[in-house]
Amino acid sequence: MNKFKLNRTNDAVFKAVFAKHPDITLALINAFFEFQGTELISEIEFVDRELDADELDGKESRLDILGRTTDGVKVNIEMQVNDLTSMGERSLYYWARNYTDLKRGETYDQLTRTVAINILGFNLFQDEEVPDMHSCFGLYDLKTGCQLTKQLEIHFLELKKFQPKNSREMNRMEKWAAYFSPMTPEDELVDIAQSEPAIREAMEVEDVFTQ
């Protein structure tokens, strides 16, 4: 394991571990889906992360990680440590660009579930608004709470809200939060890795990367 404190929210470290290892990325995604109670996925492949502009003077973007499951579900994972008050709008913009990929002749029912996962090194929401470290947003009627569609799903994991606890009491989401959190002692993370194979594999990839 690493002999020095590694910043796992660093862009280069994050992409070295997750952008090239689909099994590790799959486990991270399923931790979000499991926590939310949605269907888990069994396979994912990485796709082009470049979002070309729709017009000559339009905005181009490059995503951290973009994957697609065998049944067409698209998942974008972003790591953001700099405090951005517009993070909600940014994530919605990325989500919309990934969602709207119909070709000529295709119908709207061919659009597929698109998920955005944002791991943040800052608090986007005040504690009185969202007290938990994990939040998930969709499209709902403001009066009744009726969900318009299940195809929009935007997650935020605010690492500063992570509350350390005994590793035996952690669910998978909390274990991944502990992995990313700079407050987690390395010996505790080693204990967590014993019960979460994907985190153990991620730490082994880190060793190769740092060497």
Side-chain angles (χ1 to χ4, degrees):
M1 298 297 177
N2 295 296
K3 294 181 174 62
F4 60 92
K5 190 67 175 178
L6 187 69
N7 180 7
R8 296 183 173 91
T9 63
N10 174 272
D11 188 63
V13 176
F14 178 72
K15 290 177 181 176
V17 174
F18 293 93
K20 299 178 181 179
H21 300 87
D23 290 343
I24 301 176
T25 303
L26 183 69
L28 175 63
I29 293 170
N30 277 333
F32 281 84
F33 289 1
E34 180 180 79
F35 192 89
Q36 190 63 22
T38 52
E39 184 178 354
L40 304 186
I41 56 178
S42 59
E43 187 176 342
I44 194 167
E45 63 173 348
F46 296 131
V47 295
D48 185 12
R49 294 179 283 133
E50 298 285 351
L51 295 180
D52 296 329
D54 292 330
E55 51 192 37
L56 184 60
D57 58 351
K59 183 176 179 61
E60 295 182 345
S61 303
R62 182 172 176 81
L63 306 177
D64 284 349
I65 296 174
L66 180 62
R68 187 192 302 268
T69 68
T70 52
D71 57 354
V73 176
K74 285 165 285 186
V75 184
N76 168 219
I77 307 176
E78 295 293 315
M79 173 66 73
Q80 181 63 45
V81 293
N82 295 324
D83 193 339
L84 291 179
T85 56
S86 60
M87 189 66 206
E89 290 80 3
R90 173 177 170 169
S91 184
L92 182 61
Y93 175 79
Y94 284 175
W95 177 91
R97 292 294 304 275
N98 288 321
Y99 182 64
T100 55
D101 64 349
L102 285 180
K103 306 297 188 296
R104 184 183 299 274
E106 293 181 336
T107 57
Y108 295 116
D109 59 3
Q110 291 177 269
L111 289 166
T112 58
R113 176 187 173 202
T114 301
V115 181
I117 294 175
N118 302 279
I119 302 171
L120 309 179
F122 61 95
N123 287 346
L124 179 62
F125 307 103
Q126 298 296 324
D127 288 347
E128 56 269 23
E129 295 176 313
V130 180
D132 296 331
M133 65 173 182
H134 172 252
S135 53
C136 181
F137 294 84
L139 282 177
Y140 302 89
D141 178 68
L142 294 178
K143 292 187 292 184
T144 65
C146 176
Q147 189 174 20
L148 176 64
T149 176
K150 294 183 179 180
Q151 295 196 349
L152 185 150
E153 194 172 318
I154 299 180
H155 296 259
F156 295 97
L157 180 64
E158 299 170 283
L159 295 177
K160 284 192 172 182
K161 293 181 180 178
F162 170 64
Q163 298 293 326
K165 62 171 74 171
N166 189 299
S167 61
R168 295 188 181 89
E169 300 174 356
M170 289 183 182
N171 57 36
R172 294 178 70 193
M173 167 73 73
E174 292 167 330
K175 289 177 181 179
W176 278 109
Y179 167 80
F180 288 113
S181 175
M183 304 304 293
T184 306
E186 201 69 13
D187 56 343
E188 290 186 18
L189 191 54
V190 170
D191 289 340
I192 292 172
Q194 297 305 313
S195 61
E196 191 63 35
I199 292 180
R200 184 167 65 249
E201 183 180 353
M203 295 176 71
E204 291 170 353
V205 172
E206 291 170 3
D207 283 340
V208 176
F209 175 76
T210 54
Q211 289 169 17

